[in-house]
Amino acid sequence: MALWITVGQMLSLSLWALLRLRLGGREMVRQVYETGNRSILFVGITMAFIGMIGVYELASTMEAVLPEYSTLGAATLQGLTREMGPIMAGLLLATRVGTGMAAEIGSMQVSDQIDAMKLCSVDPVELLVLPRLFASSIASLGLAALGTTIAFFSGMAVAWFGFSILPDTFMSLRFVVTGDLIMGISKALVFGFTVPLVSCACGFQASGGSEGVGKATTRAVVLSSFLVIVEDALITYIGEVLQ
Amino acid sequence: MSEPTPVARLIGVDKSFGSHTVLAAVTLELPAGRCTFVAGPSGTGKSVLVRHLVGLLRPDAGEVWYRDLRVDQLDEQALLVLRRKCVYVFQHPTLFDSMSVAENVALVVKYHKGVKARVAESLARAQLERMGLSRLADARPPELPSGEQKLVSLARALALEPETLILDEPTTGLDPYAAFEIDAHVRQLKEQGVTLLVISHDLQSIRRLADEVVFLFDRQVRYQGGMQGFFEANDPVLDQFVHARVHGAI
């Protein structure tokens, strides 16, 4: 319960800061680099494999059912834009970035650094959380776009070499509509906001030395991954209703 | 000579963590402009006691006052104002590892005085220079020995220009020279009229600096009075503590 109160407090403070355009300036830029640039290799390699596996499975099924591949590329791109790109970026952020945030803030919490900030008139949410929230949202959007592109091209390579589907045939945008793009962007932004929000809250709740930091880190990755999945379902449902 | 007015008061404070009672009906006064030491065996709640004064902990029962402010009833916003006057320095140097020493001090100055980052940095460097710590300005806290980290923590606290300074075991774990250096700064503050509350086991520091001593034992204040009386008290518990005797109630 205390965790969700912390999440609620941080959320209201963040929205208030957003309204006043207090985004953390230089620290936010640093966090975009830490969160985004440093995740590129991890996200890129993971998404390349996901693209290859996804296209291989989809093409195998099409081979058995339709024997026709003209829609393979378009269906792959639509799925990546709406679902796999943002959700994988969200989950990978939770794994790589959320754990780091929970551990860093948790360590500061158990070593009294957070209390020291309060005692020095420094608001720890404004200093530590806000730049991470906005940086992570930007990074998540970039990683989702990059991941989608890499997965699409790696899938195209599998389609070409494994199923003799020419790149001209595979590279089709005909299923992707504006609604898919809006859904993908919305998901990436929401996931990018959720992961640091929950992870930082877990860090703030840490207590009891290094064991407490470990527990906070585990809790952060479990909760933020779970929330990414739940939010994905909700946004998909809302998107379908609106369309 | 008239008694100095108390700057802070705890009245009948109880504090428990789960089933473990740390403080039971503790009452004490902190005289203004004096140096008061809080002593007692480890685990008797010295840090818990003083954390009530800056609102880091709230009592289960009782009242905490700082001048005319009821500290235990203040919200976080009001506590910020209090914490600019009454500054607490933790036992462990709580410096921010990702920042340089100057940035650590500047951060506090920036928020406290509402000045721009560049002005805050120059004020921070001036504060470090006053304390003879200029050479450390660009170092990162993890690169420094614990004595220097504690001095930087003190510099950061003093950048707030507090009227009351609470030091939690400032000399614990330091070599005699570093401890002496900290004591020298405390003496200087005392001469400037800053109200000081120091948690310490260091009997030499108590002898050198204390005007008053509060001794905590078994969840209560066992002794509060002058430094001379503390060392000469006819109390077996104090006697055991002061003479570091192995056998006894502690």
Side-chain angles (χ1 to χ4, degrees):
Chain A
M1 191 61 196
L3 177 74
W4 299 112
I5 292 170
T6 308
V7 168
Q9 285 169 343
M10 281 176 13
L11 188 62
S12 57
L13 283 169
S14 311
L15 295 176
W16 176 233
L18 187 63
L19 286 175
R20 292 181 297 154
L21 294 175
R22 292 183 71 163
L23 308 179
R26 207 164 43 169
E27 177 62 11
M28 191 185 78
V29 175
R30 194 178 76 83
Q31 287 297 331
V32 169
Y33 177 78
E34 289 292 327
T35 312
N37 287 35
R38 288 178 180 268
S39 302
I40 285 176
L41 190 66
F42 180 45
V43 170
I45 292 173
T46 310
M47 289 306 288
F49 279 104
I50 283 175
M52 287 192 275
I53 296 162
V55 167
Y56 179 81
E57 293 295 339
L58 197 56
S60 302
T61 308
M62 282 178 143
E63 192 175 40
V65 179
L66 298 171
E68 200 273 313
Y69 298 118
S70 62
T71 56
L72 179 64
T76 301
L77 190 57
Q78 190 193 33
L80 284 170
T81 308
R82 287 169 61 103
E83 285 297 331
M84 291 308 286
I87 204 170
M88 287 311 296
L91 290 174
L92 295 174
L93 270 182
T95 316
R96 192 195 163 276
V97 178
T99 47
M101 288 178 184
E104 186 181 354
I105 292 178
S107 301
M108 293 176 84
Q109 179 69 44
V110 299
S111 62
D112 290 332
Q113 287 185 43
I114 301 287
D115 280 342
M117 280 186 183
K118 290 181 191 165
L119 293 179
C120 296
S121 314
V122 179
D123 181 354
V125 173
E126 189 176 322
L127 188 75
L128 298 172
V129 181
L130 293 184
R132 284 168 170 78
L133 284 181
F134 299 120
S136 173
S137 300
I138 295 167
S140 171
L141 195 59
L143 291 173
L146 179 79
T148 298
T149 310
I150 290 174
F152 183 70
F153 282 104
S154 65
M156 190 166 76
V158 168
W160 191 7
F161 295 113
F163 298 89
S164 304
I165 304 165
L166 292 174
D168 278 355
T169 312
F170 189 85
M171 200 175 290
S172 164
L173 298 175
R174 68 184 144 136
F175 285 175
V176 181
V177 294
T178 314
D180 296 325
L181 276 176
I182 292 171
M183 193 180 282
I185 290 169
S186 311
K187 284 180 179 177
L189 288 174
V190 170
F191 301 160
F193 200 80
T194 303
V195 169
L197 187 70
V198 173
S199 304
C200 291
C202 288
F204 278 112
Q205 292 291 313
S207 61
S210 52
E211 190 188 353
V213 177
K215 281 181 183 167
T217 310
T218 307
R219 203 174 179 202
V221 75
V222 170
L223 275 178
S224 49
S225 304
F226 175 71
L227 280 177
V228 162
I229 305 282
V230 171
E231 284 169 349
D232 182 61
L234 275 175
I235 295 170
T236 305
Y237 175 73
I238 292 167
E240 289 302 325
V241 169
L242 290 178
Q243 271 181 3
Chain B
M1 204 170 81
S2 64
E3 281 293 306
T5 35
V7 68
R9 281 174 296 147
L10 282 87
I11 305 167
V13 166
D14 290 348
K15 185 68 185 175
S16 300
F17 296 97
S19 59
H20 178 53
T21 302
V22 180
L23 302 172
V26 168
T27 294
L28 69 86
E29 289 187 344
L30 181 62
R34 306 279 288 268
C35 180
T36 305
F37 271 69
V38 179
S42 298
T44 43
K46 302 184 290 294
S47 298
V48 170
L49 177 78
V50 299
R51 282 177 188 216
H52 283 87
L53 286 174
V54 284
L56 277 180
L57 291 173
R58 291 184 193 267
D60 299 332
E63 297 173 13
V64 182
W65 291 86
Y66 186 85
R67 297 204 183 275
D68 52 353
L69 293 173
R70 178 86 187 263
V71 178
D72 55 297
Q73 292 181 346
L74 296 179
D75 60 20
E76 278 297 318
Q77 209 55 39
L79 282 171
L80 284 181
V81 180
L82 165 75
R83 288 164 182 168
R84 285 172 191 158
K85 295 179 194 162
C86 180
V87 175
Y88 178 81
V89 181
F90 285 85
Q91 179 180 354
H92 307 291
T94 50
L95 301 169
F96 312 126
D97 295 349
S98 58
M99 300 176 186
S100 70
V101 162
E103 286 167 344
N104 263 279
V105 181
L107 180 75
V108 172
V109 176
K110 184 181 158 205
Y111 277 85
H112 176 50
K113 297 194 168 168
V115 294
K116 289 197 182 313
R118 216 166 47 185
V119 178
E121 173 117 5
S122 74
L123 290 172
R125 285 181 186 272
Q127 174 66 38
L128 290 169
E129 196 175 337
R130 275 196 294 278
M131 291 185 66
L133 300 172
S134 294
R135 66 189 189 286
L136 310 178
D138 297 312
R140 301 263 163 187
E143 298 164 6
L144 305 177
S146 54
E148 288 183 337
Q149 287 189 30
K150 286 205 172 188
L151 281 169
V152 174
S153 293
L154 185 58
R156 188 173 66 176
L158 294 180
L160 291 167
E161 297 165 348
E163 64 172 25
T164 301
L165 185 66
I166 303 172
L167 300 168
D168 195 343
E169 305 208 15
T171 56
T172 300
L174 301 186
D175 62 70
Y177 178 77
F180 190 79
E181 205 175 350
I182 295 264
D183 279 356
H185 285 293
V186 174
R187 182 186 297 278
Q188 205 174 4
L189 291 167
K190 192 177 152 181
E191 285 163 6
Q192 289 166 6
V194 175
T195 303
L196 293 154
L197 182 62
V198 185
I199 300 175
S200 184
H201 293 112
D202 187 340
L203 296 175
Q204 283 190 359
S205 290
I206 295 175
R207 279 188 201 278
R208 275 198 292 258
L209 299 165
D211 296 315
E212 293 241 344
V213 181
V214 174
F215 185 80
L216 279 185
F217 180 68
D218 196 19
R219 295 164 289 178
Q220 290 183 321
V221 174
R222 180 90 177 193
Y223 173 88
Q224 179 168 17
M227 183 266 286
Q228 207 63 33
F230 171 69
F231 284 101
E232 292 167 3
N234 188 18
D235 179 325
V237 175
L238 263 68
D239 181 70
Q240 188 192 353
F241 183 81
V242 166
H243 296 101
R245 298 189 208 287
V246 178
H247 301 289
I250 297 175

